[in-house]
Amino acid sequence: MSRRIYFDNAATTPIDPLVFEAMKPFFTDHFGNPSSIYSYGRESRLAIENARKKVASLLGAHPAEIFFTSGGTESSNTAIHGAVHQLGCKRIISSKIEHHATLHTCEYFQKHAGIELEWVHLLPDGHIDLADLEKRLSSSPKKTLVTLMHANNELGNITDIKAVGELCKKYNAVYHADTVQTVGHYPIDLSQLEVDFITASSHKFHGPKGIGILYMRSSAKIDPYIHGGGQERNMRAGTENIYGIVGFTKALELALENLASEKNHIEGVKNYLKERLLKQFAGIVFNGDTQDNSLYTVLSVGFPLNDKTEMLLFNLDVNHVCVSGGSACSSGANQGSHVIQALNLPPQSTVRFSFSKYNTKEEVDRLMDVLGSVA
Ligand code: PLP
């Protein structure tokens, strides 16, 4: 049995065996191309359309508003591209702590399409300053895209997407919310939200990698981002990832079915780690909002910076503990988390611990033993 401790579930999660079981027949028996007209093809088509209906019903959407993509990055690129090219957005308001899938896409349009890009002010704990957002929305008649994530993958902070949506509606702005860290972890009822686009990625909730969705509100019509065949009702060309689609749907179904008990379990593990860290380390801080509006799956910890903690990520890895310094892209190199930098925090050695239903308090005990020697 692996002695590794995996506390990096915001980067990716292991697949649930039930999800894998549901996917298997689509690797073997149901291999038909959904665009083929004979029975193999029709069976695949049916599986996709049933999956779309299921996902839509789980998220309070209409099936025609759900598009399967390769994941969160493609979904956000598609939404931002469409908002600029088809919905006439000339200005983007975003935040400096978005995932790079959003941040770099916005910067691309600023550089190559002359789009005005503004950063909303952040409160000291990393929450979005809604008053500043409203001030910016009211200050210009330019058609604006607001792209603000639902929950931050490094800090855990949760933004009130209902409130942001209402502001966007008031000022006639397009709203894209990166919900990659919340779909499958929180109930989301799109029929109650003023949001034009949301995104999801199944590898964040025990589904396969390389499959996600873009929700596009029926009123927000955009052109495809990927051109070719007419798949996904002409919105996303390319032969469908059927086993991925089936896996995404099964993973979402299971996650939402068991949400309350899993949340309770994960919160128990997270709070236990917090308690033990506070007892064992003087001068430790928790980054972001670690109280009310924060993911139960994420704990961002600032260890006091010294000779030992400078090498913390490396030493944790040597001791078979898998964690990140920030997002997965910067894991292993304890430098340059753009999120931590944006908060202007005093120097610290940042470790993001992120949890899943498979983690236990016993793993926290083992982690604390390791930390006792390396921090
Ligand atoms: N947005 C957030 C908040 C994420 O955490 C991630 C994954 O790290 C992504 C977007 C990108 O998703 P994907 O890996 O499916 O492209």
Side-chain angles (χ1 to χ4, degrees), residues 25 74 87 146 241 305:
E74 184 193 320
L87 304 181
V146 171
N241 174 359
L305 201 56

Side-chain angles (χ1 to χ4, degrees), residues 114-293:
I115 298 298
E116 258 175 50
L117 180 55
E118 293 182 22
W119 306 118
V120 73
H121 179 249
L122 297 173
L123 299 171
D125 64 0
H127 275 305
I128 302 301
D129 181 345
L130 289 178
D132 182 65
L133 176 62
E134 176 151 25
K135 207 166 85 192
R136 288 173 191 279
L137 281 169
S138 63
S139 72
S140 164
K142 280 191 181 153
K143 183 78 181 169
T144 298
L145 166 68
V146 171
T147 170
L148 292 171
M149 68 206 309
H150 190 193
N152 186 277
N153 51 306
E154 295 193 33
L155 300 171
N157 284 11
I158 298 178
T159 294
D160 183 347
I161 47 172
K162 195 162 175 56
V164 174
E166 273 151 22
L167 280 179
C168 290
K169 188 175 181 201
K170 184 170 168 190
Y171 295 99
N172 197 25
V174 175
Y175 180 24
H176 159 250
D178 171 346
T179 48
V180 164
Q181 292 292 340
T182 49
V183 170
H185 299 286
Y186 289 82
I188 292 182
D189 182 357
L190 288 160
S191 70
Q192 300 301 309
L193 297 174
E194 298 293 344
V195 61
D196 296 290
F197 302 100
I198 73 157
T199 61
S201 186
S202 86
H203 72 102
K204 307 291 185 180
F205 49 90
H206 305 289
K209 294 171 182 53
I211 182 75
I213 58 153
L214 171 65
Y215 157 83
M216 183 166 86
R217 197 151 67 162
S218 50
S219 54
K221 280 277 162 274
I222 60 172
D223 287 351
Y225 179 62
I226 295 176
H227 299 271
Q231 290 91 349
E232 292 297 285
R233 296 184 319 290
N234 255 333
M235 261 306 295
R236 201 270 186 180
T239 301
E240 296 88 336
N241 174 359
I242 309 171
Y243 26 80
I245 291 171
V246 169
F248 178 102
T249 308
K250 184 71 182 174
L252 185 61
E253 221 177 325
L254 288 172
L256 296 180
E257 227 169 77
N258 303 315
L259 197 145
S261 61
E262 285 171 7
K263 177 173 187 270
N264 196 35
H265 171 79
I266 295 168
E267 252 164 8
V269 174
K270 173 177 163 173
N271 289 334
Y272 182 58
L273 175 59
K274 272 173 88 173
E275 274 166 36
R276 294 229 33 199
L277 286 169
L278 285 171
K279 268 195 202 135
Q280 194 160 322
F281 295 98
I284 207 157
V285 292
F286 300 124
N287 301 313
D289 174 349
T290 53
Q291 298 300 319
D292 301 328
N293 291 319

Side-chain angles (χ1 to χ4, degrees), residues 314-332:
F314 175 78
N315 283 327
L316 285 170
D317 179 30
V318 167
N319 284 280
H320 317 294
V321 176
C322 309
V323 290
S324 284
S327 62
C329 329
S330 54
S331 105

Side-chain angles (χ1 to χ4, degrees), residues 7-56:
F7 279 153
D8 201 17
N9 292 279
T12 196
T13 53
I15 199 158
D16 185 314
L18 292 174
V19 173
F20 190 42
E21 278 310 309
M23 292 169 68
K24 271 185 191 165
F26 293 88
F27 286 97
T28 51
D29 301 349
H30 307 305
F31 62 87
N33 187 320
S35 299
S36 302
I37 54 162
Y38 42 78
S39 58
Y40 276 123
R42 291 199 306 273
E43 283 160 18
S44 296
R45 165 71 46 221
L46 189 65
I48 292 174
E49 294 317 317
N50 284 340
R52 196 186 315 281
K53 278 187 205 147
K54 185 80 209 172
V55 170

